[in-house]
Amino acid sequence: MDLKDHIRGIPDFPKPGILFYDISTLLRHADAWQVAMGRMARVVAAWQPDLIAGIESRGFLISAPLALKLGCGFIMLRKRAKLPGVTIGLDYALEYGSDRIEIQEDAIRPGHRVVIVDDLLATGGTMAAGIALLRRVGAIVPGAAGLIELTFLNGRKKLDVPFEALVAYDE
């Protein structure tokens, strides 16, 4: 099955000049969704994770069911002040400005193998920040995965772990 047949491009969203890859069409197609999760599970299982970390918010749609399928725990990496309890955060640069990603202080134990998952890898800044944050709290990060990679933005160059995507767009 070609998963690209179930992902639609929406031009000029969220702003002019951007082509948004909408995964809602894949999520609502039961067979394509099952195939995507099966393929993602095979990729991620090779890294033998204890936990799957999902990046807010569309990354949760991929990582939570993936963790369930693999028998792993699931943890959330969220934007500033979205998690209850004590959090540890990391500020990181974007093309225009900065952002912050946070994890609950007690989300992992040092030495846990944590694979980070998002729906899409574009410029790589958020994924790289997530990897750095996970390491800051003691995780071993053997790899990262996404449903989609925009290869023309060279995001994987910012990552210092293996990265796998199910679908790539070259432009």
Side-chain angles (χ1 to χ4, degrees), residues 14-30:
K15 61 185 181 179
I18 301 290
L19 178 60
F20 183 83
Y21 290 98
D22 181 16
I23 65 168
S24 67
T25 47
L26 181 133
L27 296 173
R28 68 179 170 231
H29 189 282

Side-chain angles (χ1 to χ4, degrees), residues 33-115:
W33 183 223
Q34 287 287 339
V35 167
M37 285 295 92
R39 289 177 185 172
M40 187 71 78
R42 281 192 295 281
V43 166
V44 171
W47 290 314
Q48 302 174 338
D50 299 306
L51 296 164
I52 305 296
I55 298 175
E56 183 173 344
S57 66
R58 287 185 308 271
F60 296 168
L61 300 171
I62 310 296
S63 53
L66 179 62
L68 186 64
K69 188 171 188 69
L70 292 173
C72 298
F74 165 68
I75 58 174
M76 295 175 282
L77 302 181
R78 298 207 62 191
K79 295 182 182 192
R80 180 186 312 271
K82 297 287 186 176
L83 291 168
V86 178
T87 61
I88 297 171
L90 179 74
D91 295 313
Y92 64 100
L94 298 169
E95 294 88 284
Y96 302 101
S98 64
D99 210 343
R100 182 174 178 85
I101 194 167
E102 296 180 341
I103 188 172
Q104 289 173 310
E105 181 183 53
D106 61 354
I108 69 160
R109 289 192 311 271
H112 266 147
R113 294 176 63 82
V114 182
V115 173

Side-chain angles (χ1 to χ4, degrees), residues 3-11 13 19-28 58 61 119-120 147-148 169:
L3 296 177
K4 284 185 176 181
D5 292 342
H6 301 281
I7 299 168
R8 68 178 165 187
I10 298 180
F13 183 82
L19 178 60
F20 183 83
Y21 290 98
D22 181 16
I23 65 168
S24 67
T25 47
L26 181 133
L27 296 173
R28 68 179 170 231
R58 287 185 308 271
L61 300 171
D119 68 317
L120 181 137
L147 183 62
I148 299 169
Y169 292 94

